Amino acid sequence: MKFAENNRISQRQLYRQIVIAFIAPLILCLFGNRKTLGLGGLAGTAAALAAVLFYVIFLVRLRYAFARPCKTAGVVLGRLAASFFLIYCILGAAFLLNLLVEIVAVSLGTGIGKKWLCLITLLVCSLGTQKGIQRRGRMGEVSGGVVLAAVILMLVLAVGQGKWEYFQEMVWNSSFSGRKIMESGYDVICAFSGLGLLPFALDSVGNSKDTGKTVSLAVFTLGILLILTELLLPSVFGWGRLKYESCPILPLLAGAELPGNVLARFDVLWMGFLLYSLLFALGSLFHYGHRILDRIRMGSGKLWLPAVIFGLSLIKF
């Protein structure tokens, strides 16, 4: 491994980590309220992606300030600023943990209680996340291309279920207004808010001159997938059914199959890749939580951080 001796990751590893960590949260959480669907939703998504790409430039310039926040802003202000991002990691991890447990309980029907599912998932995702960024880099490098290619192939398979009449129905019935565009854009920007944690890791990425291009390419890749999904969902389900689907991305592959019934259960594979992305995203939040604590010299949070997240995941908001 090129950066094995200095605990650094490559640009390719950074790209693949970003893609894996964002795929499932984006497509699982953005379509439940239909704000990002329709012509107004597409316009808002495109505008939000442009804003996120400019935001990336700002984040890259903060890499040196976030490398040593207490030295840059002083001990008090540095810890206060870092605590804001730490709270984001805690709340974000609790949200993803809750989401993952609900998906497993509803879609896979394991029969295991929510507390036990939360606890098992927490143990799987939190173990070893405080031991450096290189492990996550290796994991991203090995699985990133596979997950991205699999998601693209699954979406291509879903195209065969689409109907032109359903697509026309979306065009005629969807709202195209300034308010719709703003609501869609706001949701997409919020979904990409996790990029704000990147400056805590950028000092560990090799060849810093290409970091902006790498992160921008990752955002562009996710944006294309997001727009394609926004076009695909109404074409497969119809505009009327989408009103009642709380998470329409889950049953997307339920009717997909290859000629000759070579592999009929594409929905199981689809769920597997989505769950892997969610687990990686959850582990990433644990990793950045530990990293932030280390930067402000407040220990690693190896024990209390998972405990707090576990407690919050059990609260019904």
Side-chain angles (χ1 to χ4, degrees), residues 8-272:
R8 295 169 71 82
I9 62 173
S10 65
Q11 295 289 332
R12 182 174 64 181
Q13 290 172 335
L14 176 65
Y15 168 81
R16 293 184 178 182
Q17 284 187 75
I18 295 173
V19 171
I20 298 176
F22 277 91
I23 282 181
L26 283 176
I27 63 178
L28 281 169
C29 302
L30 277 178
F31 303 117
N33 54 16
R34 296 201 311 161
K35 289 182 180 179
T36 55
L37 295 174
L39 298 180
L42 286 169
T45 299
L49 289 172
V52 171
L53 289 174
F54 279 105
Y55 179 49
V56 166
I57 300 174
F58 173 72
L59 290 176
V60 173
R61 293 179 179 273
L62 291 175
R63 61 185 302 164
Y64 298 108
F66 280 66
R68 298 177 181 84
C70 291
K71 183 177 180 180
T72 304
V75 176
V76 176
L77 291 179
R79 287 184 174 179
L80 285 175
S83 297
F84 171 81
F85 293 96
L86 180 61
I87 292 172
Y88 176 87
C89 290
I90 293 173
L91 295 178
F95 172 78
L96 290 183
L97 186 59
N98 234 321
L99 176 65
L100 191 146
V101 168
E102 288 181 8
I103 291 174
V104 171
V106 174
S107 300
L108 301 182
T110 60
I112 303 175
K114 179 180 177 180
K115 292 182 179 180
W116 288 108
L117 278 174
C118 285
L119 184 59
I120 294 171
T121 305
L122 197 72
L123 292 175
V124 171
C125 293
S126 63
L127 288 176
T129 52
Q130 77 282 0
K131 294 185 178 180
I133 195 172
Q134 192 186 19
R135 291 191 176 188
R136 304 204 65 74
R138 289 173 177 172
M139 189 184 302
E141 185 170 24
V142 171
S143 59
V146 176
V147 173
L148 179 59
V151 170
I152 294 174
L153 286 174
M154 293 291 175
L155 292 178
V156 170
L157 285 172
V159 172
Q161 303 178 80
K163 296 181 180 180
W164 177 246
E165 295 80 8
Y166 286 167
F167 184 80
Q168 289 179 313
E169 184 181 330
M170 178 203 70
V171 173
W172 291 111
N173 295 332
S174 62
S175 172
F176 187 80
S177 62
R179 180 177 179 179
K180 176 72 172 180
I181 293 173
M182 291 183 64
E183 288 179 346
S184 172
Y186 176 77
D187 282 359
V188 173
I189 289 175
C190 289
F192 277 100
S193 60
L195 289 174
L197 298 171
L198 273 177
F200 288 102
L202 294 183
D203 63 314
S204 298
V205 181
N207 196 8
S208 59
K209 293 182 180 179
D210 295 330
T211 301
K213 296 179 182 178
T214 300
V215 181
S216 298
L217 179 61
V219 172
F220 182 77
T221 303
L222 292 165
I224 293 298
L225 287 176
L226 192 57
I227 291 174
L228 290 177
T229 308
E230 289 176 356
L231 293 171
L232 185 60
L233 285 175
S235 303
V236 172
F237 295 115
W239 195 247
R241 179 179 171 182
L242 285 177
K243 295 179 180 179
Y244 307 103
E245 288 286 350
S246 58
C247 194
I249 201 69
L250 291 179
L252 182 62
L253 273 295
E257 61 180 9
L258 290 174
N261 198 24
V262 176
L263 184 59
R265 296 305 306 273
F266 278 103
D267 55 328
V268 176
L269 294 175
W270 179 238
M271 281 295 303

